Amino acid sequence: MALLTLSNIHVRYGSVEVLHGIDLHVDEGEIVTILGANGAGKSTTLLSISGLVRPCEGEIIFDGKPLLKYPSHEVVNLGIAQSPEGRRVFGVLTVLENLRLGAFTVGDKEKAEQTLDWIFDLFPRLHERKDQLAGTLSGGEQQMLAIGRALMGQPKLLLLDEPSLGLAPLLVKSIFETIRAINQSGVTILIVEQNARAALKLATRGYVLELGRVVMEDTAAHLLANPSIQEAYLGA
Ligand code: ATP
């Protein structure tokens, strides 16, 4: 069953249209990836789902509800969390304070504490550093914190924008393993990732965006085996 459906989404920045009618869906429990060159519109697609960018045309249905009728701060309450590109943690707050901020929409304090324990299980590094100022963490740790903070809101759908950007190869492997574990615990995931091969190995399905349009949609296995995808995105 589709948890999220985008139909004919158009987005403009000023007078320039950058998404020209995106159709995509994410079923409950899936990991779906969006591939595409720089500027293809991947981040804009995620931002239009989280409500930070307003499409000028089209419809987004999430969990049966028309998302575009809700203001962006309510989108979080509906169960969508985005871990943004570039991390954006609060550097002058501790790791624990950053994580607690992510739970501000959660009324049930006991549930929030359980979620915190779960996040510390997923990212033991964050537990070790819970009292450290976020600004003093390494890039990889800040990335973990950004994902952890998004999870504190107990989302049904997690939007990840370039989670492996700038990370050392060993950390990249570990962040992908953690994303799989997050999904196995029941969170549906839509991920944009420059490391297309790793994203396709993780995902069930993928979409290819070119210049603001979906040009291909297939299972991750088919995309991995497709010579034109290999040439364009997998460095083959
Ligand atoms: P990247 O991997 O480089 O982030 P992307 O596929 O995520 O690429 P977007 O960031 O969604 O692409 O950008 C799509 C288009 O919109 C690009 O042409 C980009 O230059 C333009 N764009 C993005 N953000 C803005 C903005 N705030 N104002 C104007 N144009 C923008």
Side-chain angles (χ1 to χ4, degrees):
M1 202 189 78
L3 179 63
L4 175 79
T5 308
L6 274 65
S7 309
N8 191 33
I9 288 298
H10 292 251
V11 169
R12 285 198 198 113
Y13 289 118
S15 60
V16 181
E17 185 172 284
V18 298
L19 296 186
H20 311 290
I22 300 289
D23 294 308
L24 68 80
H25 72 274
V26 182
D27 289 339
E28 199 149 358
E30 275 194 303
I31 301 181
V32 171
T33 187
I34 305 177
L35 308 181
N38 285 348
K42 307 179 297 295
S43 297
T44 302
T45 302
L46 294 191
L47 291 169
S48 62
I49 299 165
S50 57
L52 297 174
V53 159
R54 282 282 154 184
C56 53
E57 200 181 325
E59 187 174 51
I60 304 181
I61 304 290
F62 173 72
D63 212 10
K65 300 181 188 76
L67 263 197
L68 301 180
K69 300 229 164 18
Y70 292 79
S72 59
H73 64 272
E74 282 184 26
V75 168
V76 177
N77 297 338
L78 295 177
I80 297 180
Q82 176 157 14
S83 177
E85 184 181 11
R87 297 163 201 148
R88 300 207 200 113
V89 296
F90 296 101
V92 296
L93 300 182
T94 66
V95 167
L96 191 58
E97 286 166 340
N98 267 277
L99 289 172
R100 290 207 193 282
L101 270 183
F104 74 99
T105 58
V106 179
D108 183 341
K109 292 297 156 222
E110 199 174 321
K111 189 86 201 295
E113 286 308 302
Q114 285 169 6
T115 308
L116 186 63
D117 289 342
W118 172 58
I119 289 163
F120 283 149
D121 282 346
L122 286 171
F123 300 109
R125 225 10 199 276
L126 293 183
H127 187 240
E128 284 162 28
R129 300 184 178 222
K130 66 181 169 30
D131 298 317
Q132 193 170 319
L133 292 184
T136 66
L137 297 176
S138 72
E141 290 160 352
Q142 290 191 17
Q143 187 60 265
M144 293 173 199
L145 181 54
I147 297 173
R149 195 179 58 195
L151 288 174
M152 280 299 287
Q154 299 162 15
K156 293 189 188 114
L157 175 69
L158 178 64
L159 307 173
L160 292 171
D161 197 348
E162 305 275 12
S164 83
L165 194 71
L167 301 189
L170 254 183
L171 263 183
V172 172
K173 192 159 176 277
S174 125
I175 216 127
F176 278 104
E177 282 165 6
T178 307
I179 292 168
R180 190 184 293 283
I182 292 166
N183 174 252
Q184 282 168 351
S185 78
V187 182
T188 302
I189 294 176
L190 180 59
I191 176 173
V192 164
E193 179 49 57
Q194 29 121 38
N195 189 339
R197 187 182 298 277
L200 284 173
K201 283 187 180 158
L202 190 70
T204 30
R205 289 186 303 113
Y207 290 84
V208 181
L209 248 60
E210 271 175 22
L211 298 173
R213 290 191 168 83
V214 173
V215 294
M216 204 183 289
E217 168 192 355
D218 211 333
T219 62
H222 283 161
L223 290 172
L224 269 172
N226 183 316
S228 67
I229 297 295
Q230 289 174 355
E231 193 180 337
Y233 302 106
L234 304 177

